[in-house]
Amino acid sequence: MASYNKYDRPLFRDVLVVPLACFFVSLFAGATVFAVIGHQMHVEGVNAIQRLRHYGPGISLIVYSEALVKIPGAAICSVFFFAMLFVLGLASQFIHLDVLTTGFSELFPEDIRRCRLLLLLGVIFIEAFLGLVFLTQGGFHLFRVVDWYAAAFGVLIVGFLELLSVCLVYGIRRLLIDVQGMLGELRTITKVCWGALLLILSPLMFILAIASSTVTFTTQLDENQAVLPIWSIAIGWLIVILSTIGLPITLIYKLSVQKCDPHKLILPSEEYTSHVADRRTRHKSELLNAAGNL
């Protein structure tokens, strides 16, 4: 996670390499899927697309499996493909598990430090137990509900609110000062580009993504209701609410119970401000010492 990186980590390299790698991998994977679907439509007729569109998230497994059997060395390619899927899923689980346990560790540092292994085992057991429901006969339909509502709405809404908190609450100016403390003085064009990306392009992309997901949901509502019962759709919206309701509840609690000043709620805490100032001072001293030793 970002908070555990070195203070002077090459940030620009990460923000360029990671998105570009994800973009090209997604482009290659998507082009492959649609190329295979086009071939199936050519061979089997237009009904192929009618059959494939009901597979949902599992379409890549089906499409790649059908493509692998048509190429030379299908057996070894299939082994490599499913090994890749296994490693990819395992890596995702490691990240997910580490995020949960690290969050608990930061909330209760003294208690968790003594029993971190028990926490890891407990989280693994609970997630494995909850995941058993996806192995039932209706597990795939439940997976579709979780995948659609949690990914399409919950993640987008939380990400949009996080972006607003960085841009409007913490402020672009403070963020650029922090970045300069890590990487050194930034050019004016770099500051302008960062500001434009965070204040204009990123919020616009989030709004378009949320609007697109909403329109897609309303246009497919009849189809979803034909496949899934009403109560499962209600569970999906409950997932969306649970993933975002913590924010207004915390705000109401701070204002009504703790009687916090609304102005202070949108400012960095004094502890954080002093920590950042101390870290900047130490980093400048390290740079001066390094320059003096040259």
PDB file of all heavy atoms in Angstrom, residues 9 39 61 77 83 112 116 128 154 156 177 186 220 236 272 289 292:
ATOM      1  N   ARG A   9      10.108   7.335  -2.967  1.00  0.00           N
ATOM      2  CA  ARG A   9       9.897   6.334  -4.013  1.00  0.00           C
ATOM      3  C   ARG A   9       9.639   7.027  -5.353  1.00  0.00           C
ATOM      4  O   ARG A   9       8.968   8.065  -5.392  1.00  0.00           O
ATOM      5  CB  ARG A   9       8.703   5.445  -3.650  1.00  0.00           C
ATOM      6  CG  ARG A   9       8.434   4.328  -4.653  1.00  0.00           C
ATOM      7  CD  ARG A   9       7.241   3.495  -4.234  1.00  0.00           C
ATOM      8  NE  ARG A   9       6.943   2.462  -5.203  1.00  0.00           N
ATOM      9  CZ  ARG A   9       7.501   1.266  -5.219  1.00  0.00           C
ATOM     10  NH1 ARG A   9       8.409   0.949  -4.310  1.00  0.00           N
ATOM     11  NH2 ARG A   9       7.170   0.373  -6.123  1.00  0.00           N
ATOM     12  N   HIS A  39     -15.231 -14.977 -34.587  1.00  0.00           N
ATOM     13  CA  HIS A  39     -15.005 -16.238 -35.299  1.00  0.00           C
ATOM     14  C   HIS A  39     -16.156 -17.214 -35.049  1.00  0.00           C
ATOM     15  O   HIS A  39     -16.613 -17.899 -35.986  1.00  0.00           O
ATOM     16  CB  HIS A  39     -13.682 -16.848 -34.844  1.00  0.00           C
ATOM     17  CG  HIS A  39     -13.425 -18.209 -35.404  1.00  0.00           C
ATOM     18  ND1 HIS A  39     -13.105 -18.426 -36.733  1.00  0.00           N
ATOM     19  CD2 HIS A  39     -13.470 -19.445 -34.822  1.00  0.00           C
ATOM     20  CE1 HIS A  39     -12.945 -19.715 -36.947  1.00  0.00           C
ATOM     21  NE2 HIS A  39     -13.155 -20.359 -35.801  1.00  0.00           N
ATOM     22  N   LEU A  61     -13.422 -17.072 -19.591  1.00  0.00           N
ATOM     23  CA  LEU A  61     -13.013 -18.467 -19.423  1.00  0.00           C
ATOM     24  C   LEU A  61     -13.521 -19.327 -20.569  1.00  0.00           C
ATOM     25  O   LEU A  61     -12.797 -20.168 -21.111  1.00  0.00           O
ATOM     26  CB  LEU A  61     -13.529 -19.008 -18.090  1.00  0.00           C
ATOM     27  CG  LEU A  61     -12.906 -18.426 -16.818  1.00  0.00           C
ATOM     28  CD1 LEU A  61     -13.623 -18.975 -15.597  1.00  0.00           C
ATOM     29  CD2 LEU A  61     -11.429 -18.754 -16.757  1.00  0.00           C
ATOM     30  N   CYS A  77      -0.654 -25.018 -23.732  1.00  0.00           N
ATOM     31  CA  CYS A  77      -1.193 -23.660 -23.639  1.00  0.00           C
ATOM     32  C   CYS A  77      -2.308 -23.584 -22.599  1.00  0.00           C
ATOM     33  O   CYS A  77      -2.427 -22.593 -21.872  1.00  0.00           O
ATOM     34  CB  CYS A  77      -1.707 -23.203 -25.000  1.00  0.00           C
ATOM     35  SG  CYS A  77      -0.411 -22.920 -26.225  1.00  0.00           S
ATOM     36  N   ALA A  83      -2.897 -21.859 -15.182  1.00  0.00           N
ATOM     37  CA  ALA A  83      -1.919 -21.515 -14.146  1.00  0.00           C
ATOM     38  C   ALA A  83      -1.851 -20.003 -13.962  1.00  0.00           C
ATOM     39  O   ALA A  83      -1.740 -19.503 -12.833  1.00  0.00           O
ATOM     40  CB  ALA A  83      -0.545 -22.068 -14.518  1.00  0.00           C
ATOM     41  N   ILE A 112      -3.157  -5.894  17.893  1.00  0.00           N
ATOM     42  CA  ILE A 112      -2.965  -6.731  16.710  1.00  0.00           C
ATOM     43  C   ILE A 112      -1.525  -7.205  16.589  1.00  0.00           C
ATOM     44  O   ILE A 112      -1.256  -8.298  16.084  1.00  0.00           O
ATOM     45  CB  ILE A 112      -3.391  -5.963  15.444  1.00  0.00           C
ATOM     46  CG1 ILE A 112      -4.874  -5.592  15.532  1.00  0.00           C
ATOM     47  CG2 ILE A 112      -3.137  -6.789  14.196  1.00  0.00           C
ATOM     48  CD1 ILE A 112      -5.802  -6.775  15.666  1.00  0.00           C
ATOM     49  N   ARG A 116      -1.156 -11.080  15.290  1.00  0.00           N
ATOM     50  CA  ARG A 116      -1.383 -10.843  13.862  1.00  0.00           C
ATOM     51  C   ARG A 116      -1.674 -12.144  13.121  1.00  0.00           C
ATOM     52  O   ARG A 116      -2.510 -12.185  12.216  1.00  0.00           O
ATOM     53  CB  ARG A 116      -0.172 -10.147  13.250  1.00  0.00           C
ATOM     54  CG  ARG A 116      -0.351  -9.818  11.768  1.00  0.00           C
ATOM     55  CD  ARG A 116       0.803  -9.005  11.231  1.00  0.00           C
ATOM     56  NE  ARG A 116       0.653  -8.760   9.811  1.00  0.00           N
ATOM     57  CZ  ARG A 116      -0.100  -7.809   9.273  1.00  0.00           C
ATOM     58  NH1 ARG A 116      -0.779  -6.991  10.062  1.00  0.00           N
ATOM     59  NH2 ARG A 116      -0.180  -7.655   7.968  1.00  0.00           N
ATOM     60  N   ALA A 128     -13.450 -17.610   3.672  1.00  0.00           N
ATOM     61  CA  ALA A 128     -13.684 -18.919   3.060  1.00  0.00           C
ATOM     62  C   ALA A 128     -15.086 -19.425   3.382  1.00  0.00           C
ATOM     63  O   ALA A 128     -15.770 -19.998   2.521  1.00  0.00           O
ATOM     64  CB  ALA A 128     -12.633 -19.917   3.542  1.00  0.00           C
ATOM     65  N   GLY A 154     -20.765   0.516  -5.953  1.00  0.00           N
ATOM     66  CA  GLY A 154     -20.077   0.772  -4.688  1.00  0.00           C
ATOM     67  C   GLY A 154     -18.675   1.312  -4.866  1.00  0.00           C
ATOM     68  O   GLY A 154     -18.305   2.338  -4.275  1.00  0.00           O
ATOM     69  N   LEU A 156     -17.291   2.709  -7.519  1.00  0.00           N
ATOM     70  CA  LEU A 156     -17.275   4.005  -8.200  1.00  0.00           C
ATOM     71  C   LEU A 156     -17.655   5.139  -7.250  1.00  0.00           C
ATOM     72  O   LEU A 156     -17.030   6.209  -7.257  1.00  0.00           O
ATOM     73  CB  LEU A 156     -18.239   3.976  -9.388  1.00  0.00           C
ATOM     74  CG  LEU A 156     -17.800   3.151 -10.594  1.00  0.00           C
ATOM     75  CD1 LEU A 156     -18.903   3.113 -11.644  1.00  0.00           C
ATOM     76  CD2 LEU A 156     -16.521   3.707 -11.199  1.00  0.00           C
ATOM     77  N   ILE A 177       2.634  20.033  -2.825  1.00  0.00           N
ATOM     78  CA  ILE A 177       3.749  20.269  -1.899  1.00  0.00           C
ATOM     79  C   ILE A 177       4.300  18.938  -1.393  1.00  0.00           C
ATOM     80  O   ILE A 177       5.521  18.744  -1.288  1.00  0.00           O
ATOM     81  CB  ILE A 177       3.290  21.163  -0.734  1.00  0.00           C
ATOM     82  CG1 ILE A 177       3.001  22.580  -1.235  1.00  0.00           C
ATOM     83  CG2 ILE A 177       4.349  21.201   0.367  1.00  0.00           C
ATOM     84  CD1 ILE A 177       2.419  23.495  -0.178  1.00  0.00           C
ATOM     85  N   LEU A 186       8.891  20.540  -8.920  1.00  0.00           N
ATOM     86  CA  LEU A 186       8.166  20.160 -10.126  1.00  0.00           C
ATOM     87  C   LEU A 186       8.094  21.335 -11.086  1.00  0.00           C
ATOM     88  O   LEU A 186       8.028  22.491 -10.669  1.00  0.00           O
ATOM     89  CB  LEU A 186       6.743  19.705  -9.772  1.00  0.00           C
ATOM     90  CG  LEU A 186       6.600  18.483  -8.866  1.00  0.00           C
ATOM     91  CD1 LEU A 186       5.128  18.230  -8.569  1.00  0.00           C
ATOM     92  CD2 LEU A 186       7.221  17.252  -9.498  1.00  0.00           C
ATOM     93  N   GLN A 220     -31.184  -2.756 -18.529  1.00  0.00           N
ATOM     94  CA  GLN A 220     -31.168  -4.202 -18.341  1.00  0.00           C
ATOM     95  C   GLN A 220     -32.011  -4.645 -17.151  1.00  0.00           C
ATOM     96  O   GLN A 220     -31.945  -5.796 -16.744  1.00  0.00           O
ATOM     97  CB  GLN A 220     -29.729  -4.688 -18.132  1.00  0.00           C
ATOM     98  CG  GLN A 220     -28.848  -4.487 -19.347  1.00  0.00           C
ATOM     99  CD  GLN A 220     -27.444  -5.016 -19.123  1.00  0.00           C
ATOM    100  OE1 GLN A 220     -27.078  -5.394 -18.024  1.00  0.00           O
ATOM    101  NE2 GLN A 220     -26.653  -5.041 -20.178  1.00  0.00           N
ATOM    102  N   GLY A 236     -28.599  -6.667  -3.752  1.00  0.00           N
ATOM    103  CA  GLY A 236     -27.586  -5.914  -4.478  1.00  0.00           C
ATOM    104  C   GLY A 236     -27.555  -4.451  -4.075  1.00  0.00           C
ATOM    105  O   GLY A 236     -26.489  -3.877  -3.829  1.00  0.00           O
ATOM    106  N   TYR A 272      -1.708  14.804  12.005  1.00  0.00           N
ATOM    107  CA  TYR A 272      -1.231  14.549  10.644  1.00  0.00           C
ATOM    108  C   TYR A 272      -0.384  15.718  10.147  1.00  0.00           C
ATOM    109  O   TYR A 272       0.667  15.522   9.527  1.00  0.00           O
ATOM    110  CB  TYR A 272      -2.423  14.336   9.717  1.00  0.00           C
ATOM    111  CG  TYR A 272      -2.041  14.189   8.258  1.00  0.00           C
ATOM    112  CD1 TYR A 272      -1.575  12.984   7.762  1.00  0.00           C
ATOM    113  CD2 TYR A 272      -2.137  15.274   7.383  1.00  0.00           C
ATOM    114  CE1 TYR A 272      -1.212  12.848   6.433  1.00  0.00           C
ATOM    115  CE2 TYR A 272      -1.775  15.147   6.058  1.00  0.00           C
ATOM    116  CZ  TYR A 272      -1.316  13.933   5.586  1.00  0.00           C
ATOM    117  OH  TYR A 272      -0.952  13.812   4.274  1.00  0.00           O
ATOM    118  N   ASN A 289      22.328  16.645   3.464  1.00  0.00           N
ATOM    119  CA  ASN A 289      23.473  15.827   3.869  1.00  0.00           C
ATOM    120  C   ASN A 289      24.033  15.044   2.687  1.00  0.00           C
ATOM    121  O   ASN A 289      25.253  14.907   2.532  1.00  0.00           O
ATOM    122  CB  ASN A 289      23.062  14.868   4.982  1.00  0.00           C
ATOM    123  CG  ASN A 289      22.737  15.587   6.272  1.00  0.00           C
ATOM    124  OD1 ASN A 289      23.248  16.687   6.523  1.00  0.00           O
ATOM    125  ND2 ASN A 289      21.885  14.988   7.097  1.00  0.00           N
ATOM    126  N   GLY A 292      25.933  17.423   0.558  1.00  0.00           N
ATOM    127  CA  GLY A 292      27.199  17.808   1.167  1.00  0.00           C
ATOM    128  C   GLY A 292      28.254  16.731   1.080  1.00  0.00           C
ATOM    129  O   GLY A 292      29.459  17.021   1.073  1.00  0.00           O
TER     130      GLY A 292
END
